[in-house]
Every structure is written in C-alpha cells, then in structure tokens.
Amino acid sequence: QVQLVESGGGLVQAGGSLRLSCAASGSIFVINGMGWYRQAPGKQRELVAYVRSDGSTNYADSVKGRFTISRDNAKNTVYLQMNSLKPEDTAVYYCNADLNLYDYWGQGTQVTVSS
C-alpha cells in the first residue's frame, strides 16, 4: 500500500514564504513523476508544479518565478518552495504522484495567505 503524506501548510502574510513537503511510502517500484495541485473554494483543481523522473519540470503561469519544485529521489519526497505568496494562492494543496503506473493523491494541506 502506498501513502503520500503532506506537511508544511499554514497561514502566512502576503509576501511571505512556505515550504510544502510530500513523502511517498510503501511498496514503491517506480516513480514517474510527482507534483502539486491546488483547489481554491468554488474552483477546479489545478496544476501548480510537477517534476518528472528525468528532472524536467513545469509550472502554472501564475506561480512561475515564485514557486520552485524539487525532488529527493532517495527519500521519495517532493518539495514546493513558495515565495512571494499572494492571497490568490490560498487553496488546499494536494500532492500527486505517478508511481507504480498508478495515480496517487495526498490528503491535502491548507495554505492561507492573508492580505
């Protein structure tokens, strides 16, 4: 059984920073990619950032230059460094992993940015 455990969410003022972590555990044979999505109230879930097994990344236009995704393959962990946070970044952030040819989701962590 595979689990994704997220941490690092919270409340921060606009302009501040937060770092999210997501660790995958269990019977892991291959990880093709890991990333972060978010869902704000009344909106659809959207991709924030993603990193593939070859190290390539992609970001939502709204976070480019402010957020950085990274991955520690030895720990099966993905990080999202979020700088210059804005109130519109407020959402539940979900970790996603494409591993063992299956899609897994974390439970979500709340990020709230106050103005």
Side-chain angles (χ1 to χ4, degrees):
Q1 187 176 358
V2 173
Q3 280 190 320
L4 301 181
V5 178
E6 301 145 336
S7 61
L11 173 64
V12 65
Q13 288 188 334
S17 298
L18 283 175
R19 189 192 194 209
L20 304 183
S21 300
C22 172
S25 62
S27 300
I28 299 170
F29 302 103
V30 60
I31 299 180
N32 294 314
M34 296 183 75
W36 294 92
Y37 289 71
R38 68 186 180 187
Q39 187 166 19
K43 294 188 177 181
Q44 289 188 331
R45 190 174 297 189
E46 62 175 0
L47 173 69
V48 177
Y50 201 84
V51 57
R52 298 173 189 80
S53 57
D54 63 1
S56 61
T57 59
N58 59 293
Y59 294 89
D61 288 342
S62 59
V63 307
K64 285 180 180 177
R66 300 188 298 122
F67 291 10
T68 302
I69 191 168
S70 60
R71 184 172 151 184
D72 185 332
N73 292 329
K75 297 181 178 180
N76 293 328
T77 298
V78 65
Y79 305 96
L80 185 68
Q81 179 65 44
M82 305 185 293
N83 298 329
S84 302
L85 281 160
K86 304 175 181 181
E88 50 264 43
D89 294 318
T90 295
V92 177
Y93 284 69
Y94 296 91
C95 177
N96 172 264
D98 174 5
L99 61 86
N100 299 345
L101 302 181
Y102 192 80
D103 221 22
Y104 290 89
W105 291 91
Q107 78 283 0
T109 185
Q110 178 70 45
V111 171
T112 302
V113 184
S114 63
S115 57

